[in-house]
């Protein structure tokens, strides 16, 4: 069967990038993502049978790649909670056409042996989330009992295993961790690790987001520039979400993701597959297309391709550009479910 023509959505954006959430569970309770009051012991996480098997994920990934996807990122919840994740990576790495295969993790389970196993399986690189160097602030931001040193060790393990360039994601939240912006940047200068500062977003329903909690990209940059001289690096590819800056002294690069104050929906070529097989065409979507139902009803690749193609060509999402008018009025999906 021939693949359908590469789809463009209603705003002429191609489908290039797929984020696959492999679990909705996590061992952290970052208040901006899975506040413990909401994601407590009684929380109805997805039952095992609802979650796509590795075979199902790999089959969908092959179809997405035929439709034009070239980048795949595994995420969650915490993806390393899923058993034998390296076997999924082996299956994905075998798909011709994927140029970038990566993983986002909180680092808690990424020891040197795991990092080497992921690399051997074919993973290209990892992004590790780390919101503070200071232990009390890290504890507050992650609501976990983990020593921050473990996350730093995970970053080193990833770099040593060649999962590079390693990126570090820092979500900046006013009143919580602005004081860690400069120390974190300083920690990774001259290491080849690229730190990316992310504006706190209004994803989901449960984090109680307020615009006042957002530290704008402009203030993040001002803090950094008061210590170091930076120059902008032009975007390297379409759909790049981070504004990249380079230290003029050659110490490396940083990124700033200004999804709230400078939205980038115009170039957004990203789809998300939840762990139970729903396709979402926006991080702020309220409903997804049920690909698991198709898979489990015995649909052939042609029917699944047509469903994805149809879903993408109907896409009009540009939530972040409309946010000021839309916030609070929609039943948005949680980040831990849809995949960050
Ligand atoms: N558990 C993994 C981790 O934390 O890296 C992967 C999933 S997590 C949902 C993916 C990314 O989303 C993390 O870097 C996290 O900091 C970010 N994130 C979660 N909630 C966010 C929010 N409300 N605003 C901005 N970024 C957020
Ligand atoms: Fe877990 Fe990642 Fe969400 Fe934190 S950001 S609660 S580590 S899924
Ligand atoms: Fe893409 Fe939706 Fe984010 Fe805009 S708001 S950049 S369309 S995911």
């Amino acid at each position: 069967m021939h693949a359908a023509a590469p789809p463009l959505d209603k705003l002429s954006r191609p489908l290039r990038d797929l984020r696959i959430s492999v679990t909705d569970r996590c061992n952290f309770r970052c208040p901006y993502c899975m506040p413990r009051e909401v994601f407590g012991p009684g929380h109805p996480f997805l039952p095992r049978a609802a979650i796509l098997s590795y075979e199902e994920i790999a089959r969908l990934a092959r179809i997405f790649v035929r439709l034009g996807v070239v980048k795949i990122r595994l995420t969650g919840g915490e993806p390393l909670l899923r058993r034998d994740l390296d076997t999924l990576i082996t299956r994905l790495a075998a798909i011709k056409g994927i140029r970038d295969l990566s993983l986002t993790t909180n680092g808690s389970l990424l020891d040197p042996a795991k990092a080497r196993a992921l690399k051997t399986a074919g993973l290209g690189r990892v992004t590790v989330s780390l919101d503070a160097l200071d232990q009390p602030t890290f504890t507050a931001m992650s609501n976990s009992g983990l020593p921050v040193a473990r996350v730093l060790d995970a970053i080193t393990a990833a770099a040593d295993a060649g999962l590079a360039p390693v990126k570090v994601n820092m979500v900046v939240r006013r009143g919580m961790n602005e004081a860690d912006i400069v120390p974190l940047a300083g920690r990774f200068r001259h290491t080849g690790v690229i730190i990316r500062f992310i504006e706190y977003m209004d994803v989901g329903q449960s984090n109680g987001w307020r615009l006042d909690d957002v530290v704008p990209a402009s203030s993040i940059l001002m803090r950094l520039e008061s210590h170091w001289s930076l120059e902008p690096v032009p975007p390297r590819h379409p759909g790049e979400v981070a504004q990249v800056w380079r230290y003029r002294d050659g110490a490396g690069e940083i990124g700033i993701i200004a999804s709230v104050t400078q939205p980038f929906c115009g170039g957004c070529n990203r789809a998300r597959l939840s762990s139970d097989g729903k396709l979402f065409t926006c991080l702020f979507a309220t409903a997804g297309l049920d690909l698991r139902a198709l898979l489990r009803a015995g649909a052939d690749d042609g029917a699944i391709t047509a469903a994805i193609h149809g879903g993408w060509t109907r896409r009009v999402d540009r939530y972040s550009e409309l946010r000021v008018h839309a916030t609070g009025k929609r039943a948005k999906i949680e980040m831990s479910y849809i995949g960050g």
Side-chain angles (χ1 to χ4, degrees):
M1 189 223 112
H2 287 291
L8 292 180
D9 71 8
K10 293 273 188 237
L11 303 174
S12 301
R13 297 168 297 186
L15 170 57
R16 291 307 219 184
D17 184 335
L18 179 66
R19 300 210 152 190
I20 302 176
S21 171
V22 295
T23 177
D24 61 336
R25 290 166 200 256
C26 188
N27 53 347
F28 282 13
R29 286 291 178 273
C30 309
Y32 55 77
C33 177
M34 296 179 79
R36 205 175 283 282
E37 317 80 78
V38 178
F39 295 86
H43 183 77
F45 287 105
L46 291 167
R48 200 189 170 89
I51 292 197
L52 296 186
S53 68
Y54 289 166
E55 199 177 357
E56 288 172 322
I57 293 175
R59 180 168 169 216
L60 288 178
R62 276 193 294 277
I63 294 173
F64 275 100
V65 169
R66 285 208 293 273
L67 279 166
V69 163
V70 291
K71 278 177 81 168
I72 291 191
R73 176 175 292 273
L74 299 179
T75 180
E78 174 45 45
L80 294 178
L81 285 178
R82 186 95 184 241
R83 204 173 313 146
D84 302 326
L85 191 72
D86 39 317
T87 62
L88 172 63
I89 289 166
T90 305
R91 286 172 189 261
L92 297 177
I95 302 173
K96 287 203 174 55
I98 301 178
R99 290 189 214 137
D100 186 13
L101 181 58
S102 62
L103 168 87
T104 304
T105 173
N106 62 27
S108 59
L109 303 168
L110 187 61
D111 60 18
K114 172 70 80 183
R116 283 193 298 270
L118 294 171
K119 176 70 183 176
T120 306
L123 188 67
R125 57 193 183 89
V126 296
T127 297
V128 179
S129 301
L130 174 61
D131 298 331
L133 273 185
D134 164 69
Q135 182 65 50
T137 311
F138 175 78
T139 303
M141 289 298 286
S142 61
N143 203 342
S144 74
L146 199 79
V148 70
R150 284 272 292 283
V151 184
L152 293 169
D153 288 348
I155 294 166
T156 305
D160 289 350
L163 293 166
V166 178
K167 292 187 179 165
V168 167
N169 276 358
M170 175 191 187
V171 173
V172 185
R173 193 166 169 182
R174 187 182 303 284
M176 296 279 292
N177 65 341
E178 301 118 293
D180 279 77
I181 294 172
V182 168
L184 264 173
R187 176 73 174 67
F188 296 112
R189 276 168 48 83
H190 296 293
T191 64
V193 172
I194 301 169
I195 178 150
R196 299 169 348 140
F197 302 94
I198 304 178
E199 287 179 349
Y200 171 41
M201 288 186 286
D202 51 334
V203 203
Q205 305 270 78
S206 49
N207 59 15
W209 183 89
R210 295 173 318 142
L211 190 55
D212 283 354
D213 296 333
V214 178
V215 178
S218 53
S219 335
I220 296 174
L221 190 62
M222 241 156 60
R223 278 175 184 262
L224 295 169
E225 285 190 312
S226 66
H227 283 75
W228 301 288
S229 174
L230 290 158
E231 61 186 351
V233 177
R236 297 191 175 103
H237 35 78
E240 182 151 75
V241 297
Q243 302 165 6
V244 181
W245 298 79
R246 179 191 298 131
Y247 293 107
R248 285 186 208 266
D249 64 3
E253 287 180 3
I254 60 119
I256 303 184
I257 303 181
S259 16
V260 177
T261 61
Q262 297 161 57
F264 36 75
C265 301
C268 181
N269 51 21
R270 181 173 291 174
R272 292 180 158 82
L273 181 66
S274 65
S275 51
D276 60 348
K278 294 215 174 70
L279 173 65
F280 293 91
T281 54
C282 179
L283 185 53
F284 299 91
T286 50
L289 178 67
D290 192 352
L291 298 179
R292 187 191 67 195
L294 284 174
L295 282 170
R296 296 191 182 169
D300 65 12
D301 282 8
I304 297 174
T305 305
I308 299 171
H309 190 278
W312 189 264
T313 52
R314 286 191 296 274
R315 177 183 192 240
V316 291
D317 305 295
R318 52 188 196 99
Y319 175 85
S320 289
E321 291 180 349
L322 306 172
R323 168 178 282 120
V324 230
H325 311 292
T327 295
K329 298 202 182 70
R330 300 164 55 156
K332 292 173 289 176
I333 308 290
E334 297 299 329
M335 181 97 139
S336 53
Y337 165 72
I338 196 173

